[in-house]
Amino acid sequence: MGLSAFFLVFPPELATFLLALLPLTELRASIPIGIFVYHLPAFSAFFYSVLGNLVAGYLVLVLINPIANYFKNKFKVVKLVLDWWFNRVYNRFLTKYQKYGPVALVIF
């Protein structure tokens, strides 16, 4: 049973939205699946896919700190890895942010 077949139990709009939430499918798969599998109009498939992708991004932004802090406090190895990773990401994009401002957050 394929991923799109699993979502056939949902209404087409909700299925397209949920597919866009998943890192595996995101927009590049949810839009074509919405159009060709669920027979949504192109605009509807695009709308529900983008909405689902925006919700996923928002959830990551809101939940990444509390989840990271929980695991950092629980496991020392996780703290070392996450501190290294967050510092690497911060330093990597700091110069781009300073050069381009908030637009850099959207572009990069």
Side-chain angles (χ1 to χ4, degrees), residues 3-4 6-35 37-59:
L3 187 60
S4 61
F6 173 77
F7 284 97
L8 285 174
V9 298
F10 298 110
E13 296 83 3
L14 180 59
T16 304
F17 175 86
L18 293 173
L19 284 168
L21 282 171
L22 299 174
L24 179 67
T25 51
E26 290 185 331
L27 294 175
R28 60 184 75 87
S30 64
I31 293 173
I33 290 171
I35 293 170
V37 175
Y38 299 120
H39 307 291
L40 289 174
F43 178 79
S44 293
F46 177 79
F47 175 77
Y48 289 110
S49 293
V50 169
L51 187 63
N53 205 252
L54 288 173
V55 168
Y58 177 76
L59 289 174

Side-chain angles (χ1 to χ4, degrees), residues 43-79:
F43 178 79
S44 293
F46 177 79
F47 175 77
Y48 289 110
S49 293
V50 169
L51 187 63
N53 205 252
L54 288 173
V55 168
Y58 177 76
L59 289 174
V60 167
L61 288 174
V62 168
L63 296 176
I64 195 166
N65 254 354
I67 291 172
N69 288 335
Y70 171 78
F71 284 108
K72 283 166 63 172
N73 293 333
K74 203 103 164 125
F75 306 102
K76 191 171 187 143
V77 172
V78 174
K79 180 181 177 5

